[in-house]
Amino acid sequence: MLGEQKVSYSGVQPSGNLTIGNYLGAIRNFKEYSEQYKTFYCVVDQHAITVRQIPAELRRRTYETLALYMACGLDPEKNTLYVQSMVHEHAELAWILNCFTMFGELSRMTQFKDKSAKHADNINAGLFTYPTLMAADILLYQTDVVPVGIDQKQHVELCRDIAERFNQIHPGTFTVPEPVIAKSGMKIMSLADPTKKMSKSDENANAVVYILDDRDTIIRKFKRAVTDSGSEVRYSPDKPGVSNLMSIYSCFTGKSMEEIEREFEGKGYGEFKLAVGETTADALAAVQNEYKLRLADKAGLEAQMKKGAEEASYYARRTLSKVQKKLGFVQLH
Ligand code: TYM
């Protein structure tokens, strides 16, 4: 809570082209809080460097992610949209929280285990302490809710544990946040391997539908999507490929699984996949048009980065200073 107002906070890494997983699992849901809550949505470039990035690409994607936030309907007048590295309090609080986070807790994080396996030549300390920086992001703004996909739930739960531990020693410091996981779209799976999460870092571009893919590409990718044996469109654990496509279709149309099963009764996978492709392309067209306009206005994006960082810093500074005082750091006035 900030004053009387509840707070929603979330972030996206500018570490690759954003996917419909990022859109359906997270960004699309950010807007819901814009009216009632104080909202902060961040482009988390400091998290992105836990894996090697090409500097020019990281810079470009930082602009793109901000443009995409706006294109997805986040009005900068109603939401604080900003870039993490422009608010130095994040890294400072992260250090402090490192001293309140246990080695064993960080070792248990599944994302750390997955990323260590994937980047075995670069298991750096930042990859390990990634969740404490994420906790700092969230706790600096006295956050109540964190809308994320299911893969980030474990990190938000660790953030709660850290906040509770800190509050126990220094009462009344942090609001303890709740993860909010969308019922539909919380885990969109790869089109090539429906047992794996759709991920922006997937090397197989056909496994992933990017928010900015053009219409023909989207339709082609869905046509090629791996489906299951049989020919029936049915939502079931033994049909992970079809079930994933049904989830995507349901997210974009608002139809229930039963309605979708009825709609495609007696029709084959081909017709179903085409419908999913066309519906997705239609739904993303408006976002893509708005994105192009936003991205073309570099000065506008930079003005927003500056304004967003100033807005965020105001609150971040207040929380960090409270924490420093509680810890016994000398404060000169
Ligand atoms: P990132 O950049 O990996 O993903 C951004 C958001 O997209 C969601 N997501 C998905 N949802 C459904 N299906 C998928 N296939 C899928 N792939 C990704 C993620 O759950 C996430 O919500 N650590 C975070 C970024 C972060 C953050 C924060 C989030 C940094 N600080 C503070 C919330 C609050 C991450 O790597 O997200």
Side-chain angles (χ1 to χ4, degrees):
M1 297 278 273
L2 285 172
E4 293 294 292
Q5 232 182 347
K6 284 203 168 189
V7 176
S8 165
Y9 189 98
S10 200
V12 174
Q13 295 191 67
S15 54
N17 294 328
L18 299 191
T19 72
I20 56 168
N22 298 126
Y23 181 66
L24 298 174
I27 305 175
R28 187 175 76 139
N29 310 314
F30 294 175
K31 210 170 38 180
E32 257 175 60
Y33 299 94
S34 299
E35 300 296 332
Q36 307 285 335
Y37 286 57
K38 192 147 185 58
T39 54
F40 297 87
Y41 298 120
C42 186
V43 181
V44 292
D45 53 349
Q46 289 174 315
H47 277 106
I49 63 161
T50 53
V51 169
R52 291 278 172 266
Q53 301 290 333
I54 296 166
E57 285 188 9
L58 180 65
R59 196 171 296 119
R60 174 173 56 78
R61 289 195 173 119
T62 302
Y63 283 89
E64 289 174 355
T65 307
L66 182 65
L68 204 54
Y69 272 168
M70 296 187 194
C72 291
L74 293 173
D75 176 352
E77 296 305 318
K78 292 189 182 150
N79 305 273
T80 298
L81 308 177
Y82 73 104
V83 178
Q84 188 184 35
S85 64
M86 294 183 183
V87 180
H88 61 79
E89 285 82 359
H90 288 245
E92 289 179 62
L93 183 61
W95 171 255
I96 294 170
L97 297 181
N98 272 335
C99 305
F100 289 81
T101 308
M102 300 303 134
F103 183 86
E105 289 175 315
L106 293 171
S107 311
R108 282 194 289 277
M109 293 293 111
T110 48
Q111 184 174 300
F112 172 67
K113 291 190 231 168
D114 292 349
K115 286 203 176 172
S116 309
K118 202 167 158 200
H119 303 278
D121 56 339
N122 183 23
I123 307 177
N124 61 72
L127 198 61
F128 188 63
T129 60
Y130 180 112
T132 54
L133 177 59
M134 183 162 158
D137 299 342
I138 297 168
L139 299 179
L140 273 177
Y141 302 93
Q142 305 293 347
T143 300
D144 296 275
V145 296
V146 187
V148 281
I150 194 99
D151 63 311
Q152 293 301 316
K153 187 166 178 242
Q154 194 185 33
H155 286 162
V156 183
E157 279 166 355
L158 176 58
C159 171
R160 287 173 59 85
D161 292 344
I162 299 170
E164 278 165 359
R165 182 173 301 139
F166 196 99
N167 282 349
Q168 214 155 35
I169 306 171
H170 306 289
T173 309
F174 296 122
T175 302
V176 180
E178 294 275 353
V180 184
I181 318 287
K183 276 179 221 79
S184 62
M186 65 177 167
K187 192 169 187 189
I188 302 298
M189 311 308 274
S190 153
L191 298 191
D193 176 359
T195 61
K196 246 178 54 187
K197 185 187 83 158
M198 184 181 284
S199 162
K200 50 172 126 72
S201 57
D202 200 316
E203 274 134 34
N204 176 4
N206 284 322
V208 181
V209 177
Y210 299 106
I211 301 176
L212 299 172
D213 273 344
D214 63 45
R215 186 179 181 81
D216 290 347
T217 306
I218 294 175
I219 293 174
R220 178 173 49 76
K221 286 182 177 176
F222 278 112
K223 271 192 191 156
R224 287 200 191 156
V226 167
T227 36
D228 315 282
S229 53
S231 61
E232 226 184 321
V233 175
R234 186 164 43 81
Y235 193 78
S236 141
D238 63 349
K239 286 186 172 254
V242 170
S243 298
N244 183 41
L245 298 182
M246 288 177 74
S247 298
I248 296 170
Y249 191 65
S250 162
C251 284
F252 283 122
T253 58
K255 291 178 186 166
S256 69
M257 295 306 166
E258 296 74 43
E259 284 173 303
I260 299 171
E261 285 174 355
R262 247 179 282 130
E263 184 177 346
F264 293 96
E265 213 175 313
K267 298 177 184 166
Y269 287 159
E271 198 169 326
F272 171 57
K273 290 203 243 182
L274 181 64
V276 181
E278 286 178 342
T279 305
T280 304
D282 289 346
L284 293 177
V287 172
Q288 295 180 349
N289 290 338
E290 185 63 23
Y291 169 80
K292 281 183 202 132
L293 297 175
R294 296 285 183 175
L295 191 66
D297 179 14
K298 192 171 179 201
L301 289 173
E302 288 180 348
Q304 175 54 38
M305 286 179 189
K306 190 156 184 286
K307 173 173 160 283
E310 278 164 9
E311 284 168 16
S313 294
Y314 171 78
Y315 297 100
R317 202 161 44 233
R318 287 207 315 198
T319 301
L320 182 66
S321 147
K322 178 170 156 189
V323 168
Q324 289 172 329
K325 198 146 111 201
K326 292 201 181 225
L327 288 170
F329 292 177
V330 173
Q331 300 196 298
L332 302 174
H333 296 287

